[in-house]
Amino acid sequence: MDIVIIGAGKLGIGLAKSLSNEDHNITVIDYRASRVELVVDKLDVQGVSGSGTHIDVLRQADVPDADLVIATTHSDENNILVCLMAKKLGAKNTVARVRNPEYNAQFEFMRNELGISLMINPDFTAALEIGRIIQFPEANNIESFANGNIDIAEYKITADSNLCESSIGSISSKHTNNMLICAVEREDEVYIPNGDFILKAGDRIYVTGAHKELASIGKALINTKKKTIKNIMIIGCSRVGIYLSDMLVNLGKNVVIIEKNREKCEIIFDMVPNATIINGDANDHELLAEEGIDDMDAVVTLTDTDEINFLISFYAQKIGVGKTVTKVNNPNLNRMLDDLGLDSQINVSELSVSTITQYVRAKENISSSYMRTLYKLVDGKVEAAEFLAGDYVTFLNKPLSKIKLKKNVLIAAINRNNEIIFPNGNDSIQANDLVVVVSKDRRIKSLNDILQ
């Protein structure tokens, strides 16, 4: 596909990298010539310097012939305007990043009346992700499939875990029809494990389970004593924090927000009046103690400064806070934080890259339109994709034992009329099933792609 990306910020560069790796023709537009030069030198893409709202610049980037135009600048209004201009010039599809909470209620109108194919709010998406993590504190991260009926949760194996030195087969036998370990990360290697695989301390495992059973699965697997999260402190209330605090308050949680910008505090108070809002600097240890960080069940750090987020999260873990969620602005730090033992991490841009990549794949050909959900796991080394099974599938109703899957591909779960199946060789895929496929080093666009 011919794709034009307007804006070479974190999201724009992340998309350029992801989509160019999938053999699309990418052109990046940015008003900063230095940013364009950086992207062109680093990635296999074309670049155009100039304003994305200038029609001559759009023509220079071949927007009239583009299959897709993605607007990712820091201005919601510019992104919407760029999409309208691109559509008028002849671009087939457009995607706009829109972050202002006031636009959320207007998404349907903008899609239907303005012709914007996809609108994505990275902050709202991130808030939903953090909300899932808080709901299931044993897990480091959680991704949802099949209309929320299936989850893939990440857990870390510690030296005192009852899973340490156990084989995948022995674990699965204790949880028959309840869960499936679909991927294991060990240091810099990733495995799609078989039953003989032995888990070690430090491994990160990715477990597929039914959403309604995820809490009991986590407690059984990790043997944790973590309690249900009731009291939550949010450090730095960005847009993510506003969405998140509103969600948590509506779930009956006690939320304390610490924000040093007074004007932001006033905005937050108007939008989330039932939260406790403190105007202060979270770098002040006395302030944190005074506001009861020791009594919190969870601490979520959402400032724009990685160092502040990391230090406060580490401190919260040290004093015994049961759950921490840390916003990571620089994705290159993920591995370092894993090695240092930091709890759950979230990168807003990476979540958006996964969502837009899913959309692009669905547009590539008719068969991939059956893809419903796509997530990148283990720093992008593993993909988990959800497909709707239809007549295009060449092995419908065949026992899985009779088909040969490609190496490093696993059918992780099947949702059949809201019945969750963790398949064995006797099971089969039937029409209208929602099927979750986990793969390493492969692009799976269709269920037929899983076959040898």
Side-chain angles (χ1 to χ4, degrees):
M1 293 177 65
D2 295 322
I3 300 174
V4 179
I5 300 171
I6 293 94
K10 285 183 291 187
L11 177 56
I13 292 176
L15 282 168
K17 180 178 180 180
S18 175
L19 297 175
S20 63
N21 286 341
E22 301 205 352
D23 299 325
H24 297 290
N25 300 318
I26 307 298
T27 301
V28 176
I29 298 175
D30 197 282
Y31 69 91
R32 299 163 294 184
S34 59
R35 295 294 288 182
V36 173
E37 184 178 348
L38 174 68
V39 176
V40 170
D41 288 344
K42 188 175 181 181
L43 304 173
D44 183 20
V45 302
Q46 303 294 314
V48 175
S49 299
S51 170
T53 58
H54 198 295
I55 197 163
D56 289 340
V57 173
L58 296 179
R59 287 197 172 109
Q60 185 181 350
D62 292 327
V63 163
D65 297 319
D67 297 300
L68 176 64
V69 173
I70 308 173
T72 70
T73 75
H74 293 295
S75 167
D76 291 350
E77 290 73 21
N78 278 354
N79 292 339
I80 294 169
L81 176 60
V82 166
C83 288
L84 293 177
M85 294 174 68
K87 199 71 175 177
K88 283 291 185 182
L89 286 172
K92 295 181 180 65
N93 297 284
T94 59
V95 173
R97 177 175 76 172
V98 179
R99 305 177 69 180
N100 191 326
E102 294 181 4
Y103 287 126
N104 259 22
Q106 304 176 59
F107 273 18
E108 185 175 351
F109 170 81
M110 291 182 182
R111 283 194 296 264
N112 295 338
E113 302 299 327
L114 302 184
I116 299 175
S117 310
L118 175 68
M119 303 189 70
I120 182 168
N121 186 326
D123 305 309
F124 184 72
T125 302
L128 287 174
E129 178 76 6
I130 297 172
R132 286 197 294 268
I133 292 171
I134 287 175
Q135 187 178 359
F136 303 105
E138 295 82 14
N140 290 339
N141 289 291
I142 300 169
E143 310 292 1
S144 293
F145 301 83
N147 303 316
N149 290 311
I150 298 173
D151 292 320
I152 293 184
E154 174 194 335
Y155 303 96
K156 185 172 183 179
I157 305 299
T158 58
D160 60 351
S161 169
N162 56 353
L163 301 186
C164 193
E165 301 300 330
S166 297
S167 70
I168 297 289
S170 66
I171 297 167
S172 298
S173 66
K174 297 177 183 178
H175 301 277
T176 304
N177 298 325
N178 193 34
M179 50 74 72
L180 186 150
I181 298 176
C182 58
V184 179
E185 179 187 14
R186 179 175 296 164
E187 296 179 348
D188 291 329
E189 293 293 327
V190 179
Y191 305 89
I192 305 296
N194 58 27
D196 297 327
F197 190 94
I198 304 296
L199 296 177
K200 304 287 186 181
D203 287 352
R204 290 182 181 272
I205 63 173
Y206 293 79
V207 178
T208 310
H211 177 78
K212 61 184 179 181
E213 298 177 2
L214 191 61
S216 60
I217 290 172
K219 288 180 169 60
L221 289 178
I222 305 305
N223 194 25
T224 180
K225 295 182 180 179
K226 288 186 178 181
K227 60 182 180 179
T228 301
I229 291 175
K230 179 68 175 178
N231 302 307
I232 302 153
M233 179 176 284
I234 298 175
I235 307 296
C237 204
S238 59
R239 292 186 182 95
V240 177
I242 292 174
Y243 288 124
L244 177 63
S245 55
D246 185 51
M247 292 176 191
L248 296 176
V249 165
N250 288 333
L251 289 172
K253 309 293 186 183
N254 300 321
V255 178
V256 175
I257 301 169
I258 297 182
E259 169 56 55
K260 66 179 181 180
N261 185 302
R262 185 171 184 83
E263 291 182 2
K264 280 188 178 181
C265 288
E266 293 173 355
I267 294 172
I268 299 163
F269 178 77
D270 289 339
M271 300 188 74
V272 196
N274 292 324
T276 300
I277 302 162
I278 307 299
N279 179 212
D281 191 341
N283 286 319
D284 185 345
H285 173 267
E286 291 186 4
L287 174 66
L288 293 178
E290 184 178 323
E291 299 304 328
I293 190 171
D294 304 65
D295 299 321
M296 293 293 155
D297 302 314
V299 170
V300 182
T301 54
L302 297 175
T303 78
D304 292 327
T305 305
D306 283 340
E307 291 78 6
I308 293 175
N309 293 342
F310 304 159
L311 287 173
I312 294 176
S313 291
F314 280 125
Y315 173 69
Q317 287 187 190
K318 183 177 179 180
I319 63 175
V321 174
K323 188 69 181 178
T324 62
V325 183
T326 308
K327 178 186 172 189
V328 180
N329 300 295
N330 181 355
N332 295 324
L333 297 174
N334 283 357
R335 169 57 61 185
M336 183 187 302
L337 297 177
D338 284 343
D339 293 341
L340 291 173
L342 198 63
D343 202 349
S344 299
Q345 305 156 33
I346 189 164
N347 185 291
V348 178
S349 294
E350 288 183 351
L351 287 172
S352 298
V353 167
S354 291
T355 300
I356 296 174
T357 300
Q358 170 200 341
Y359 172 81
V360 171
R361 287 193 183 178
K363 287 293 181 183
E364 281 188 88
N365 54 62
I366 189 168
S367 64
S368 64
S369 67
Y370 289 98
M371 178 186 287
R372 293 296 186 86
T373 310
L374 170 70
Y375 289 107
K376 294 180 180 291
L377 311 174
V378 200
D379 296 329
K381 297 175 185 176
V382 172
E383 289 188 350
E386 174 191 347
F387 297 92
L388 174 64
D391 293 339
Y392 74 96
V393 179
T394 59
F395 54 93
L396 281 182
N397 304 314
K398 288 185 180 180
L400 297 181
S401 60
K402 301 295 184 182
I403 67 174
K404 290 187 177 181
L405 301 183
K406 290 177 179 175
K407 185 179 179 182
N408 291 325
V409 172
L410 177 71
I411 299 175
I414 299 170
N415 179 7
R416 181 173 299 149
N417 298 322
N418 292 326
E419 176 191 358
I420 309 304
I421 301 168
F422 300 98
N424 57 39
N426 297 321
D427 291 304
S428 63
I429 293 174
Q430 300 177 13
N432 298 317
D433 284 351
L434 291 173
V435 184
V436 178
V437 175
V438 174
S439 61
K440 174 192 171 188
D441 301 327
R442 295 189 181 277
R443 291 174 58 200
I444 306 297
K445 298 182 183 179
S446 156
L447 282 174
N448 291 330
D449 290 342
I450 71 177
L451 300 179
Q452 281 190 359

